[in-house]
Amino acid sequence: MRSGNVLKARLTEYGALWLGSFVLVFAGTAIASLGLGLDLIDLADSVLPLSFIVLGLAVAAGVIFTVASPTSLVTKVLVTLLGLLLVLPLLWSPVLAVVIVAAISRVTIEYSQAYAQFRIIVSQLIYPVVALVVEGPLVALVWNAFQVVASIVGFVASALQVWHVVKPWLTRGPETA
């Protein structure tokens, strides 16, 4: 398989993971919290760590399959770098789903230990980079920028994934449908 095809396949899988994670967590927490009246904070504390584990294993599997495949060294390095670069936006997808459900139900999600721990870990990962460039209140700006960029990356990846599925249906004429 050519390098471009491998990268395209991994990015397609990434988009599917982002969208699938977001939809499953959003639907599950919305139904359980809004429909069944379960506590959203408790749900977040159980759903988010499980989502992180599943998504982390999925990214690791994609990288391992590529590294073990007979592709070129350049492809293996690019897939590994993309996996590392995109893991935070991917992990943001279930968090974003819970944050949206919290906003809808007017619950303060900051009381969730899993959410707070995610923010702490992400801050610890991005702070050294930010501290090299800026100091002070701009750190909060970088956190907000991360949330926006992670949401945009996930949305674009998901939209492309959905487009590849929907496009054949739209281009067919009525005689072939």
Side-chain angles (χ1 to χ4, degrees), residues 45-88:
D45 286 339
S46 60
V47 168
L48 289 178
L50 179 62
S51 298
F52 298 153
I53 290 169
V54 170
L55 292 172
L57 289 173
V59 169
V63 170
I64 290 169
F65 288 146
T66 303
V67 169
S69 72
T71 60
S72 70
L73 180 61
V74 171
T75 302
K76 293 175 184 185
V77 169
L78 285 174
V79 167
T80 303
L81 289 175
L82 275 173
L84 291 173
L85 181 65
L86 294 175
V87 75
L88 280 178

Side-chain angles (χ1 to χ4, degrees), residues 109-168:
I109 195 63
E110 283 77 12
Y111 292 121
S112 164
Q113 290 181 359
Y115 174 78
Q117 192 63 36
F118 177 79
R119 284 193 62 161
I120 290 168
I121 290 171
V122 170
S123 296
Q124 289 173 342
L125 290 173
I126 63 175
Y127 181 77
V129 175
V130 174
L132 291 174
V133 181
V134 295
E135 289 186 23
L138 291 178
V139 173
L141 178 68
V142 171
W143 169 252
N144 291 334
F146 162 75
Q147 293 178 26
V148 170
V149 169
S151 299
I152 291 170
V153 166
F155 176 78
V156 169
S158 301
L160 290 173
Q161 180 67 25
V162 169
W163 175 250
H164 289 297
V165 172
V166 172
K167 184 180 176 183

Side-chain angles (χ1 to χ4, degrees), residues 4-25:
N5 291 341
V6 172
L7 289 172
K8 184 178 177 183
R10 292 298 174 253
L11 288 173
T12 298
E13 292 164 359
Y14 172 85
L17 276 173
W18 197 99
L19 182 62
S21 172
F22 177 82
V23 169
L24 286 174
V25 171

